Amino acid sequence: MTAPTAPHRPNPGRAGPTRAALRAELTKALTLRSLWIGAGVILALNVYFAQMNVSLLADLAQTLEDGRFVAYDGTVASFETAVRDSILSSPYQSAALFVPLLIAVVCGQEYRTGQIRTTAAAVPNRWRLATVQIIVSVVLGVVVTILAFVMSDVVLLLALPAEGRDVVLSAAGMLVGAKVLTYSAVMSVVAGVLTTVLRSTMPALVAIVAVLVLALSGVLLPLSPLVHGLLPMIAAKTFLFGYAPDATDPSVAAGLVILLGWLTAGAATWFGALRYREIG
Amino acid sequence: MIEISRLTKRYSTKVAVADVTFTAPPGAVTGLIGPNGSGKSTTIRALLGLTRPTHGTATVDGCQYGDLGPYPLRRVGALLDNAAPVPERRGVDHLRWIAQTNGISRRRVDEVLEQVDLTGAARSRVKQYSLGMKQRLGIAAALLGDPDVLVLDEPMNGLDPEGIRWIRELLRRRTAEGATVLVSSHFMTELESVAERVVVLARGQVRAEGTITEVAGGFESLEAAYFHHTTVSV
């Protein structure tokens, strides 16, 4: 070990404290190996799901009559709708489950070894700390979802017949992308706040999966359709797909309001958890 | 100057520290000693704004930690107990994010890595570090902002003799430059050789405070005084 050097006064940073904290929070996330492994797995799964959709659409294309087909429930739907749903389905699965799990792992690193104490000592302003943590969680979630969306689109563009490719490149196809990014941002905040409140990765992962299971199983539906409709995955369905797959689903506008409600409540709880609970 | 004034921290069923008062003046190493659970870490956490006192204050140069400004690491460097780096991150990245929070340059990260002799291991992941290397990484983090106040919770844990000698020299040099140093430790002999003042805590209360000579006076060593003060009930 070298002898201690003469006092060194670091130059004051030109960036403001919030920008400095934001940069640090990004560095913290990007230097985690689990982030890169997790993102890689999500993107690989996304390509796999997109490939499965392509096979399905190719089969469907053989059965078209006037650009329409008979769906499994007997309804008649257009090929355009099927392609649009396919554009959405892979990124939707990522945003609903995989991205939240990834965000929980990234946020949970703060609590694995007590690193949150170092963080809080370095950034004592808890509002600032919560703000940058929320921003970084949303950015990570959205970036992974954008990559998933782009990769899914590339697979569809390479494998679909011409009429399908037109749908992928249409304004409606792009709008679907913007919607799924909104959903991803909401789910990133939900995952992050669960981890922050529970102060551990594993319980947060269990909670995220539990919410998903509640939504997919529909066990709340007979008890309270209202509560069932308030689950983020249910609210997102109509908002994302543009129509209500089930009669009990909320409307498109209600779905958006519910998602924004989750975003707002999640951010407020995140602020409260860091501001009013002791780091210890 | 570190000032702890009538500090009390009460949890639902337990009093961690009760009416603790002492000062750590500039230009001196102040040792904070006491058995496990005596309130040393709680006092340090209250000083660093990580836990809210039920009563009393803990200040640095008259300011509560949260009022030190947006870049507190330039004024106070801390090595915290139970705040280990994330194992999967590289050592240099651990220091880099801490430096970025307080607008400290990348060059300074390299400097402190050299000071603690971790330059060669900087790009290794922390999970590959020995206990002593992790401790040196923590000390490097405390030195990042070149602060005038150092708060070190058990800095000698895991260090080899060379590392202990190095930290002794570091603390002496820092105090010679006028720094305020508060060190909690179980290494009595080491503390006796480096600290000018000592505060003895037991069951959340100050049992003795003063210069080493004052506290150890009448005993054959600081260790003997420690056992006397921490076992005698008040």
Side-chain angles (χ1 to χ4, degrees):
Chain A
M1 271 165 271
T2 60
T5 58
H8 169 96
R9 293 286 168 203
N11 294 326
R14 286 164 66 192
T18 304
R19 276 177 62 191
L22 187 59
R23 200 167 151 227
E25 206 63 35
L26 270 173
T27 299
K28 224 193 273 184
L30 296 177
T31 54
L32 276 181
R33 188 184 255 181
S34 47
L35 170 74
W36 296 99
I37 294 171
V41 169
I42 290 172
L43 296 178
L45 284 172
N46 196 68
V47 170
Y48 173 70
F49 290 138
Q51 188 56 48
M52 284 175 65
N53 283 334
V54 165
S55 305
L56 196 67
L57 288 170
D59 291 345
L60 209 57
Q62 308 295 320
T63 66
L64 292 179
E65 283 180 23
D66 296 331
R68 307 179 80 80
F69 66 95
V70 180
Y72 67 92
D73 59 356
T75 57
V76 177
S78 68
F79 186 60
E80 183 186 335
T81 304
V83 174
R84 216 168 49 219
D85 288 356
S86 295
I87 295 170
L88 184 59
S89 63
S90 297
Y92 171 71
Q93 286 169 47
S94 297
L97 179 62
F98 302 128
V99 166
L101 296 182
L102 181 68
I103 297 300
V105 169
V106 171
C107 292
Q109 47 128 1
E110 285 286 3
Y111 302 95
R112 272 168 63 193
T113 58
Q115 182 184 266
I116 185 67
R117 296 188 180 99
T118 307
T119 301
V123 186
N125 185 322
R126 303 283 192 268
W127 297 108
R128 180 174 297 135
L129 182 57
T131 302
V132 299
Q133 287 190 343
I134 291 169
I135 290 171
V136 167
S137 296
V138 169
V139 167
L140 291 177
V142 166
V143 166
V144 172
T145 308
I146 287 174
L147 291 174
F149 185 74
V150 168
M151 290 175 80
S152 173
D153 272 9
V154 167
V155 171
L156 292 172
L157 283 172
L158 289 174
L160 281 178
E163 61 267 37
R165 284 201 294 273
D166 292 344
V167 178
V168 174
L169 295 172
S170 68
M174 296 298 158
L175 180 65
V176 162
K179 285 180 174 180
V180 84
L181 293 186
T182 306
Y183 179 50
S184 176
V186 173
M187 292 309 292
S188 298
V189 170
V190 169
V193 74
L194 279 171
T195 315
T196 303
V197 168
L198 296 168
R199 294 185 170 184
S200 180
T201 305
M202 195 48 73
L205 296 179
V206 171
I208 291 163
V209 173
V211 173
L212 187 70
V213 169
L214 275 180
L216 295 180
S217 65
V219 289
L220 290 174
L221 201 51
L223 302 171
S224 170
L226 177 66
V227 174
H228 176 75
L230 288 175
L231 292 171
M233 290 86 173
I234 301 302
K237 267 198 307 182
T238 45
F239 168 65
L240 293 174
F241 289 92
Y243 58 89
D246 298 308
T248 51
D249 289 342
S251 67
V252 174
L256 177 61
V257 170
I258 292 168
L259 288 181
L260 293 178
W262 276 94
L263 185 70
T264 310
T269 308
W270 201 322
F271 278 112
L274 284 183
R275 175 65 184 84
Y276 297 108
R277 282 172 73 190
E278 294 204 348
I279 302 295
Chain B
M1 164 95 79
I2 291 172
E3 285 183 282
I4 309 294
S5 177
R6 307 205 64 184
L7 182 71
T8 300
K9 178 62 188 177
R10 191 177 295 120
Y11 295 101
S12 55
T13 56
K14 186 189 162 198
V15 178
V17 288
D19 213 24
V20 166
T21 298
F22 68 87
T23 58
V29 174
T30 301
L32 189 58
I33 58 176
N36 292 338
S38 60
K40 302 188 298 293
S41 293
T42 300
T43 302
I44 287 173
R45 286 175 193 167
L47 180 65
L48 298 174
L50 301 177
T51 190
R52 272 187 292 275
T54 309
H55 180 75
T57 57
T59 59
V60 175
D61 296 334
C63 293
Q64 295 201 346
Y65 189 84
D67 297 329
L68 287 174
Y71 301 130
L73 301 188
R74 297 177 186 195
R75 296 184 64 183
V76 180
L79 172 69
L80 290 161
D81 193 26
N82 293 327
V86 171
E88 66 181 87
R89 188 174 283 128
R90 300 181 310 171
V92 65
D93 292 330
H94 175 69
L95 294 181
R96 202 151 60 92
W97 77 256
I98 297 173
Q100 286 173 345
T101 58
N102 278 247
I104 296 166
S105 70
R106 173 61 197 259
R107 189 168 61 87
R108 179 63 182 161
V109 170
D110 294 336
E111 282 178 14
V112 294
L113 278 167
E114 196 181 333
Q115 277 187 35
V116 300
D117 200 19
L118 281 178
T119 303
R123 302 182 77 79
S124 299
R125 299 197 186 276
V126 173
K127 66 181 171 191
Q128 295 168 318
Y129 282 21
S130 66
L131 182 60
M133 289 165 81
K134 285 179 194 165
Q135 199 71 347
R136 281 187 274 144
L137 186 65
I139 293 167
L143 296 175
L144 271 174
D146 189 29
D148 290 328
V149 177
L150 282 174
V151 181
L152 307 175
D153 201 357
E154 305 285 358
M156 292 158 198
N157 279 4
L159 292 181
D160 57 16
E162 190 193 350
I164 290 176
R165 187 174 67 180
W166 174 82
I167 198 162
R168 194 193 306 142
E169 286 171 7
L170 170 77
L171 298 184
R172 282 186 182 144
R173 169 131 186 180
R174 287 283 167 153
T175 51
E177 291 162 356
T180 304
V181 180
L182 179 65
V183 177
S184 86
S185 181
H186 287 124
F187 290 76
M188 295 297 151
T189 314
E190 277 309 319
L191 211 53
E192 202 166 2
S193 71
V194 76
E196 285 82 11
R197 299 178 60 79
V198 68
V199 179
V200 184
L201 285 179
R203 293 180 186 174
Q205 294 178 312
V206 175
R207 296 295 176 86
E209 188 209 352
T211 62
I212 294 278
T213 313
E214 287 167 350
V215 172
F219 300 93
E220 59 189 51
S221 64
L222 179 62
E223 188 178 74
Y226 166 85
F227 282 117
H228 171 78
H229 289 303
T230 56
T231 51
V232 172
S233 60
V234 291

